[in-house]
Amino acid sequence: QAPIRQRGVVSGLVGLAQVVGVVLGVALVSYVIVDLRFGTWLIGGAMLVLVLPVLFFVDDARLPKSAVNAFSWSAFFRDFWVSPRAHPDFAWAWITRFLVWLGTAMATIYLLFYLEDFLEYPEPAQGQTVLIGLYGLGTILTAVIGGRLSDKSGKRKIYVIVASVVMGLSVLILAFIPTFTAAMIGAFLLGTGYGVYLAVDQALITQVLPKAEDRARDLGVINIANTMPQILAPVIAAPLVTSFGGYPSLFLATAAVMVVAGFLVRYIKSVP
């Protein structure tokens, strides 16, 4: 619904809301609601209430009936495949999104245990909340600004590349400087890069969708690149931590994944 010249800002606002939600949720169950079971019900109820305005007040576009094919399970599953040969920019956008989200998941999934086992921080749960808060603050400060700068310049790729590199470098701080102060700096820098990435990459993706009538399907395929890393990250991170060098190896691998993602953005041709 947003014109291309405003998609950076709009995507930044969407990303801002996501991060604020994470920070508020963690703060609620860490400081306000000590009973985890009640906290889960509280957050679930809040989600139900907050989604109601979207259901009732957003005037979503509708496809004409002539554009909607009869439903079949074979076509449903077949539509998950978007040919990389026919739509290479979409494929590169999917791969880079997958790698960045994989890196983000790897960087954060064992954060509590990193504080507890590696740094031996006395209050790991509260330390995790502090780091997530700084991460969220960095994202909040840069999401809308990064989106606006991208909209003003008309460029997307350079912002995604820089954001990916910043995220990769920030994780190296955790690998080589094992102090809580350094972890705070790394978490904040990770958030600043992630804020720009959230805003600009989402705008970039909307500009490489293959066909207008398949936007919902194609965004769903992109969403697989967001969710699949949450499953794969523990599978990759666990052996790195337990058998291949511990947390420094985990964060080195994370940095490599993010920098590679930034490099691959260069292969997207249709977006400046």
Side-chain angles (χ1 to χ4, degrees):
Q1 296 194 17
I4 291 177
R5 67 180 183 276
Q6 294 178 351
R7 287 183 189 171
V9 170
V10 173
S11 297
L13 291 170
V14 172
L16 183 71
Q18 292 175 350
V19 174
V20 169
V22 171
V23 172
L24 289 178
V26 171
L28 277 174
V29 299
S30 298
Y31 293 104
V32 181
I33 308 298
V34 294
D35 185 337
L36 183 59
R37 182 165 48 186
F38 180 72
T40 303
W41 280 102
L42 176 64
I43 292 175
M47 182 177 178
L48 178 62
V49 171
L50 293 173
V51 79
L52 293 178
V54 179
L55 293 175
F56 292 108
F57 298 109
V58 175
D59 185 18
D60 202 12
R62 293 175 179 268
L63 287 174
K65 291 184 178 180
S66 58
V68 180
N69 296 322
F71 179 81
S72 72
W73 284 109
S74 61
F76 175 78
F77 288 110
R78 188 170 59 250
D79 282 349
F80 279 96
W81 172 252
V82 179
S83 171
R85 185 183 297 274
H87 307 288
D89 284 354
F90 182 85
W92 285 118
W94 192 98
I95 292 169
T96 57
R97 168 65 69 95
F98 173 85
L99 290 175
V100 169
W101 281 73
L102 178 63
T104 303
M106 291 170 62
T108 57
I109 191 169
Y110 288 143
L111 196 56
L112 177 65
F113 304 109
Y114 169 76
L115 293 172
E116 183 175 5
D117 300 332
F118 193 72
L119 296 188
E120 297 182 348
Y121 190 74
E123 296 290 343
Q126 293 188 7
Q128 181 190 34
T129 303
V130 170
L131 295 183
I132 291 177
L134 288 169
Y135 168 78
L137 176 63
T139 304
I140 290 167
L141 291 176
T142 59
V144 177
I145 293 174
R148 182 172 292 278
L149 290 174
S150 176
D151 286 341
K152 290 287 187 181
S153 67
K155 298 182 182 298
R156 306 292 190 204
K157 290 193 295 188
I158 185 62
Y159 291 93
V160 176
I161 292 169
V162 171
S164 301
V165 172
V166 168
M167 287 189 286
L169 294 177
S170 70
V171 177
L172 290 179
I173 296 175
L174 301 180
F176 293 114
I177 310 177
T179 66
F180 186 70
T181 300
M184 292 171 65
I185 295 171
F188 179 76
L189 290 177
L190 181 64
T192 60
Y194 189 58
V196 175
Y197 176 83
L198 272 180
V200 183
D201 187 66
Q202 184 67 22
L204 183 152
I205 283 172
T206 65
Q207 293 177 234
V208 298
L209 300 179
K211 293 190 296 183
E213 60 267 30
D214 291 330
R215 284 172 181 165
R217 188 277 312 273
D218 294 335
L219 287 173
V221 173
I222 287 290
N223 195 54
I224 296 173
N226 302 351
T227 55
M228 189 183 293
Q230 310 300 319
I231 301 170
L232 293 179
V235 177
I236 297 171
L240 288 173
V241 171
T242 58
S243 304
F244 295 98
Y247 290 99
S249 294
L250 171 62
F251 293 130
L252 281 171
T254 300
V257 167
M258 290 181 170
V259 172
V260 168
F263 175 79
L264 294 179
V265 172
R266 298 168 56 250
Y267 291 100
I268 298 174
K269 302 299 184 183
S270 62
V271 179

